[in-house]
Amino acid sequence: MAVVETEKQGDVAVIRMNNPPVNALGHALRVGLQDAFNAANADPAVKAIVLTGTGKFFSAGADITEFRGEMKEPNLPPLIDHIEKSAKPVVAAVNGTALGGGLELALGCHYRVAGKDVRQLGLPEIKLGIIPGAGGTQRLPRAIGAEAALQLITTGAFIDASKGAAAGLIDKVVDSDVVGAAVAFAREQVGKTPRRIGEQKVGKVTAGMFDKARASIGRHPSGPVAPKAAIDAVEAATTMALSEGNAKERALFREAAASPYARALQYAFFAERQAANLPGVGPDTKLRDVKTVGILGAGTMGTGIGLAFLNAGYPLTIVETTQEALDKGVQRIKDTLDANVKRGRATEAQAADRFARVTPSLKLEDLGSSDLIIEAVFENMALKKEIFAKLDKIAKPGAIIATNTSTLDVDEIAAETKRPQDVVGLHFFSPANIMRLLEIVRAEKTAPDVMATSMAIAKKIGKVGVQAGVCDGFVGNRMLASYGGEVQAMNLEGAMPQEIDGALEKWGMAMGPLAVSDLAGLDVGYRIRKERKLTGEAAQHARIPDKIVEMGRLGQKTGAGYYKYDESRKRQVDPEIEALIKSEAEALQIKQRSIPTDEIVERSLLRLANEGAKILQEGIALRASDIDTMYLNGYGFPAWRGGPMWQVDNVIGMKKAAERIKAYEAKYGARWKIAPLIEKLAAEDGTFAALDAKKK
Ligand code: 3HC
Ligand code: NAI
């Protein structure tokens, strides 16, 4: 089938877009649409036009890959204006997802009929660091009102067909045969003046709403440029005629698109998808059938992981050692499901249905029927080995047996079974029902179909799966250990917790590293450090956090850690901690100084990227973009900053990064030893991105 085809249904021309996988509005599709509309408008036998897509997609919008080059005509904005000007009635038969340029195209049609199963209607451009650029900021406010449009455009949120109808975006929702319904609808419009949204005025505008919106974009996940541009563009729709407003939108679109934040966010979009490509896995790899899930351990992680599966519709067996622990875990699951209802994230019926799928048990044997078993017991090698040896005897043939360990050697755990090919690390992040990252740890013998299935499951439960190899801390936490060490060094050197967290939060991190430690609980790291019997510099860097724990300050849960917390858990600077840091520095004879904000950010970023480069060279991470994907989805790194590796490629520069790392090495010694890969790439004028591209 051609990219665009027209089929005549009597006096109605049905124009169908067919550009797999998502009907992105690339050049060929735009040419096809232009030709098809010209032909339909010129054909006297055609009285009305229906525009539709194929499969699950009406259209997912502009082809993002074209943003990097010169856009070839016809461009989307004039094409949509041209469609709207059509003298014959044009009805969009919204058969599936209509996003960005796809929804703008539907808004250029005079009417919209949608299938009731359509779930993704929206203008998500903001998530790519841009704004709708084909009239979306002008027509959507005219269709659904300025306030609702502003909300959709600045968040990039999706709505479904019924919400779309309630808002005034969709004229008719039908159970089936969207095209048939649209054809009938179109026939009813023949002879009437088409309703052109662009000719309408925006309804009532609440005074001060745009200023209020501008005042609230401080820490927008898309960075500082696009949100402001989006607000300006929607405001323009309330005062300007369509053509003038479109011109304003265009200018704002270009400004946002030229910002480094747009490049970073678009990189992040493709990096996330690239992470799903795994070595040894291809279109022929048959996935294992996973319909039932078993979890061992109903603690923090076990219950969180269980919730992630329940929310995606899986039945769950959860096993504990004591009735008390089991009851506590099941209650936690119930409480979270109830809280989700209160927050409007699920209906009561959904929560009840999810809870009904939980089978609590005290018998390991009950995991015998699970297609996927995830172990989430205490972080103790002897215990995990014992459990895996038992699971080997219980699990059904072909079941995937996963461990959620965050530090232990997955090869060693797998070796306890006679089926190491079925063993994988599924490293979830806390809270596991919320955090998007899933580190999929590929052990030496993990089978390719186990990797492929794990990746597919990640997607099903709304996570971003990224492969990691076996090493201490895998990818994410190994880098975090380097960065955390630098943070401690900066503490001792004189940067107070609020200065470090403040600098990094101002730069865009969701939360500074010390505030994160307080949130996660300082006892977790304390236990690990004590087990490791640290020496040298690592022992020095453990002094402050160890002392804080020994003072009984375990973080937010005890009302104090690096900070003091009031009842609302708002953090406050604590002079006691400042005094502790000063006295520890004195004891170590470290002369304190004030560390500038830029230096705090640079040292944090370079320690992350330097360790990332080592991980990449060792093959523990497959690609630099995988590392960035992990940091954006699991560690609160701002997506509009691309990730630590992207920063080196695009902002710091490889040569400058190498110079700065060497300068820090000269000053601070071994912990700053430069990654040979950075040295090599700097010498060759290379980048991480170019290295990734060679691996494709
Ligand atoms: N342009 C180019 N490629 C796209 C694309 C787009 N707009 N949307 C998706 N793709 C590609 C993906 O990269 C992926 O390619 P791959 O298989 O080679 O990795 C493939 O299509 C399938 O995508 P997903 O794996 O993401 O498929 P899902 O079914 O999980 O999700 C989706 C589908 C919800 C449409 C999701 O892909 C998505 O959110 N896409 C982006 C939508 C968007 O942001 N649209 C606005 C574009 S900007 C615009 O329209 C500007 C305009 O205002 C002028
Ligand atoms: P937790 O202490 O909250 O829960 C562990 C649970 O396992 C307890 O309820 C315990 O009763 C149960 N358990 C112990 N032995 C068992 C057995 N033989 N059979 C069944 N249940 C048993 O611990 P948490 O935090 O949930 O950690 C679990 C695992 O997840 C650890 O390996 C940890 O390293 C890992 N992890 C923890 C993260 C975190 O932030 N807490 C993040 C990522 C991974």
Side-chain angles (χ1 to χ4, degrees):
M1 188 181 167
V3 180
V4 176
E5 271 187 5
T6 304
E7 176 210 348
K8 295 250 189 70
Q9 294 197 10
D11 53 358
V12 179
V14 177
I15 299 175
R16 192 181 297 275
M17 301 178 276
N18 181 33
N19 185 25
V22 297
N23 268 341
L25 291 156
H27 181 244
L29 186 49
R30 296 196 302 275
V31 170
L33 282 175
Q34 188 177 44
D35 292 348
F37 271 94
N38 283 343
N41 272 317
D43 185 344
V46 170
K47 301 285 180 246
I49 303 167
V50 165
L51 173 65
T52 193
T54 0
K56 289 190 194 149
F57 291 93
F58 179 77
S59 164
D63 184 340
I64 306 165
T65 58
E66 284 186 355
F67 290 176
R68 291 167 206 160
E70 199 51 39
M71 214 35 120
K72 279 198 279 179
E73 290 194 6
N75 284 324
L76 196 55
L79 177 62
I80 293 176
D81 289 347
H82 182 64
I83 292 173
E84 187 176 62
K85 284 197 187 101
S86 167
K88 299 175 184 177
V90 183
V91 179
V94 183
N95 57 300
T97 297
L99 298 175
L103 187 66
E104 291 173 301
L105 188 58
L107 282 163
C109 299
H110 305 138
Y111 309 93
R112 285 151 296 283
V113 174
K116 82 165 181 345
D117 295 333
V118 173
R119 293 217 165 75
Q120 297 177 318
L121 300 171
L123 294 174
E125 285 86 345
I126 196 98
K127 294 185 178 164
L128 300 170
I130 53 174
I131 65 166
T137 64
Q138 305 304 300
R139 289 193 180 90
L140 191 64
R142 285 172 161 87
I144 68 171
E147 200 146 2
L150 191 66
Q151 160 72 11
L152 279 185
I153 293 170
T154 53
T155 59
F158 299 163
I159 54 172
D160 61 20
S162 72
K163 282 211 175 109
L169 172 63
I170 301 295
D171 295 290
K172 189 170 185 178
V173 179
V174 294
D175 287 348
S176 60
D177 189 16
V178 189
V179 172
V183 167
F185 195 98
R187 274 202 191 105
E188 287 167 19
Q189 309 308 320
V190 175
K192 298 184 193 161
T193 312
R195 186 197 59 192
R196 299 185 177 93
I197 292 179
E199 289 173 356
Q200 297 176 355
K201 277 205 160 31
V202 178
K204 196 170 117 2
V205 177
T206 315
M209 65 173 270
F210 294 107
D211 288 339
K212 202 169 141 212
R214 278 184 201 99
S216 70
I217 54 179
R219 289 177 65 78
H220 193 285
S222 298
V225 175
K228 187 179 171 302
I231 299 167
D232 291 353
V234 175
E235 187 172 31
T238 64
T239 57
M240 294 177 185
L242 182 76
S243 58
E244 213 187 331
N246 272 348
K248 172 98 184 169
E249 177 193 84
R250 216 51 223 151
L252 289 162
F253 174 92
R254 285 205 189 94
E255 186 193 317
S259 78
Y261 316 130
R263 272 193 297 131
L265 286 160
Q266 285 160 35
Y267 159 81
F269 176 85
F270 287 113
E272 186 176 316
R273 280 147 187 87
Q274 177 66 12
N277 295 327
L278 302 176
V281 170
D284 305 337
T285 309
K286 201 170 163 297
L287 300 187
R288 296 195 188 183
D289 202 15
V290 174
K291 291 211 169 66
T292 53
V293 179
I295 291 182
L296 199 60
T300 310
M301 293 308 288
T303 51
I305 297 167
L307 278 159
F309 280 96
L310 290 170
N311 290 340
Y314 287 87
L316 178 76
T317 303
I318 189 155
V319 175
E320 259 290 349
T321 44
T322 65
Q323 191 64 46
E324 193 193 344
L326 187 61
D327 291 346
K328 225 171 117 190
V330 170
Q331 189 59 44
R332 195 174 310 140
I333 290 178
K334 174 136 196 355
D335 291 346
T336 312
L337 289 171
D338 290 346
N340 286 345
V341 174
K342 281 204 192 95
R343 289 196 190 110
R345 289 193 194 144
T347 63
E348 245 166 68
Q350 279 169 330
D353 175 58
R354 287 168 197 177
F355 191 64
R357 288 168 194 263
V358 182
T359 308
S361 166
L362 292 173
K363 287 196 283 232
L364 196 66
E365 294 71 29
D366 286 347
L367 298 178
S369 59
S370 299
D371 300 317
L372 166 66
I373 300 174
I374 303 174
E375 166 278 308
V377 305
F378 302 131
E379 186 77 337
N380 176 300
M381 185 52 115
L383 175 64
K384 300 220 185 218
K385 279 185 166 178
E386 186 193 318
I387 283 173
F388 270 72
K390 284 186 189 157
L391 286 175
D392 191 25
K393 299 201 175 74
I394 291 164
K396 68 183 197 187
I400 296 177
I401 315 177
T403 171
N404 179 49
T405 180
S406 37
T407 53
L408 302 173
D409 184 335
V410 184
D411 286 318
E412 208 178 319
I413 296 173
E416 289 299 309
T417 71
K418 292 194 193 67
R419 39 175 143 177
Q421 72 280 1
D422 297 342
V423 177
V424 66
L426 290 182
H427 184 209
F428 287 82
F429 288 72
S430 184
N433 50 319
I434 308 271
M435 295 297 289
R436 284 190 84 215
L437 178 61
L438 177 61
E439 220 174 2
I440 306 179
V441 185
R442 187 171 196 155
E444 198 191 329
K445 296 191 175 142
T446 309
D449 65 339
V450 169
M451 288 305 296
T453 308
S454 301
M455 193 55 88
I457 288 170
K459 192 164 182 184
K460 277 205 180 129
I461 61 173
K463 309 276 177 220
V464 180
V466 187
Q467 176 174 316
V470 176
C471 71
D472 189 3
F474 312 122
V475 175
N477 285 350
R478 178 169 151 188
M479 286 167 67
L480 190 66
S482 282
Y483 161 48
E486 199 58 28
V487 166
Q488 290 305 330
M490 290 193 280
N491 259 173
L492 286 168
E493 246 178 285
M496 293 299 120
Q498 64 276 15
E499 288 167 335
I500 296 177
D501 286 344
L504 289 161
E505 285 166 7
K506 188 158 170 265
W507 188 78
M509 298 280 194
M511 222 180 179
L514 297 167
V516 170
S517 306
D518 272 0
L519 179 66
L522 300 176
D523 47 332
V524 183
Y526 181 81
R527 253 180 274 126
I528 297 174
R529 287 193 298 277
K530 290 295 159 196
E531 240 168 66
R532 291 192 176 170
K533 305 200 172 35
L534 306 172
T535 55
E537 208 176 26
Q540 274 190 13
H541 294 160
R543 284 176 72 126
I544 295 170
D546 283 359
K547 284 253 161 74
I548 294 181
V549 170
E550 284 154 15
M551 287 157 81
R553 304 171 66 121
L554 306 186
Q556 284 199 18
K557 60 185 168 190
T558 59
Y562 285 95
Y563 301 95
K564 281 190 294 199
Y565 293 88
D566 61 17
E567 306 236 300
S568 64
R569 297 209 160 189
K570 196 169 173 304
R571 71 186 194 222
Q572 290 158 9
V573 172
D574 191 344
E576 208 180 331
I577 293 299
E578 296 191 330
L580 169 77
I581 293 172
K582 286 201 177 81
S583 83
E584 286 303 313
E586 264 168 36
L588 292 165
Q589 295 180 329
I590 295 170
K591 201 167 164 294
Q592 293 204 316
R593 67 182 169 105
S594 151
I595 304 185
T597 305
D598 289 354
E599 184 182 329
I600 293 172
V601 173
E602 182 181 81
R603 284 169 67 177
S604 303
L605 273 182
L606 288 178
R607 280 301 297 278
L608 279 172
N610 199 43
E611 193 63 32
K614 290 176 189 169
I615 286 171
L616 193 58
Q617 193 162 26
E618 288 167 30
I620 299 290
L622 292 174
R623 317 164 185 95
S625 64
D626 282 6
I627 295 177
D628 285 336
T629 300
M630 288 199 197
Y631 262 74
L632 303 188
N633 291 287
Y635 294 87
F637 201 101
W640 53 279
R641 298 278 198 188
M645 312 308 271
W646 192 89
Q647 282 286 317
V648 167
D649 268 1
N650 295 278
V651 181
I652 303 171
M654 194 65 72
K655 272 200 164 54
K656 168 96 184 294
E659 263 169 44
R660 300 297 302 144
I661 292 171
K662 282 185 180 160
Y664 284 126
E665 190 182 348
K667 186 166 176 192
Y668 296 114
R671 74 170 192 269
W672 273 96
K673 193 165 173 28
I674 187 165
L677 181 61
I678 292 190
E679 222 167 1
K680 180 170 173 280
L681 290 175
E684 292 169 351
D685 256 339
T687 58
F688 292 126
L691 195 67
D692 279 1
K694 274 195 220 150
K695 293 178 191 163
K696 276 189 192 158

